[in-house]
Amino acid sequence: MDGGARGYVTKSCAPEVLVKAVREVAAGRIFLSDDIAQTMARSKFVGQDSPLAILSTREFEIFQQLVGGRAPNDIARALNLSGKTIANYHTLIKQKLGVSSDIELMRIALQQNLIAP
């Protein structure tokens, strides 16, 4: 959206959502699919001083699902991605956040109040 896009839908959206997005953008309105709108809204709650601010929207979405206890293969199916792609994101997220384990990811999520203790 920062690059000037007027709409955004994810690959996991139903075809009807894509049709709706095209109509909305053609009418001059902004359109975000529900899944990305929720992710973007949550990411806005993460302050710029947060370590999570360096994650892309997709990385943040996957981070949330990982710390929420969702299995990588389930995330892959939900996002219509391969398990290998999710594994690559998982590794990249840990690298960006400077951690080496999922426990450290959980600690960051707790510190940022993204999950309840």
Side-chain angles (χ1 to χ4, degrees), residues 57-103:
T57 301
R58 177 64 98 182
E59 291 164 349
F60 185 72
E61 178 182 22
I62 292 169
F63 170 82
Q64 287 180 297
Q65 292 188 42
L66 289 167
V67 298
R70 201 157 188 200
N73 285 336
D74 292 338
I75 298 169
R77 277 191 292 280
L79 298 178
N80 199 26
L81 298 171
S82 74
K84 178 140 177 70
T85 299
I86 296 301
N88 289 339
Y89 270 114
H90 191 176
T91 300
L92 182 61
I93 290 165
K94 288 192 289 188
Q95 287 175 346
K96 280 187 167 185
L97 296 176
V99 301
S100 59
S101 72
D102 289 343
I103 294 192

Side-chain angles (χ1 to χ4, degrees), residues 5-115:
R6 304 280 303 160
Y8 193 98
V9 295
T10 59
K11 292 191 301 185
S12 60
C13 288
E16 304 83 54
V17 175
L18 179 59
V19 171
K20 183 177 180 184
V22 170
R23 287 185 177 139
E24 291 291 313
V25 171
R29 294 183 288 269
I30 293 175
F31 183 87
L32 299 172
S33 60
D34 290 341
D35 52 347
I36 198 68
Q38 182 179 12
T39 300
M40 289 177 74
R42 284 185 187 158
S43 69
K44 295 300 177 194
F45 288 107
V46 175
Q48 291 302 319
D49 58 341
S50 166
L52 299 175
I54 63 172
L55 299 180
S56 70
T57 301
R58 177 64 98 182
E59 291 164 349
F60 185 72
E61 178 182 22
I62 292 169
F63 170 82
Q64 287 180 297
Q65 292 188 42
L66 289 167
V67 298
R70 201 157 188 200
N73 285 336
D74 292 338
I75 298 169
R77 277 191 292 280
L79 298 178
N80 199 26
L81 298 171
S82 74
K84 178 140 177 70
T85 299
I86 296 301
N88 289 339
Y89 270 114
H90 191 176
T91 300
L92 182 61
I93 290 165
K94 288 192 289 188
Q95 287 175 346
K96 280 187 167 185
L97 296 176
V99 301
S100 59
S101 72
D102 289 343
I103 294 192
E104 291 172 294
L105 288 178
M106 291 293 291
R107 186 175 33 198
I108 290 171
L110 284 167
Q111 290 169 345
Q112 298 300 310
N113 297 314
L114 294 177
I115 55 175

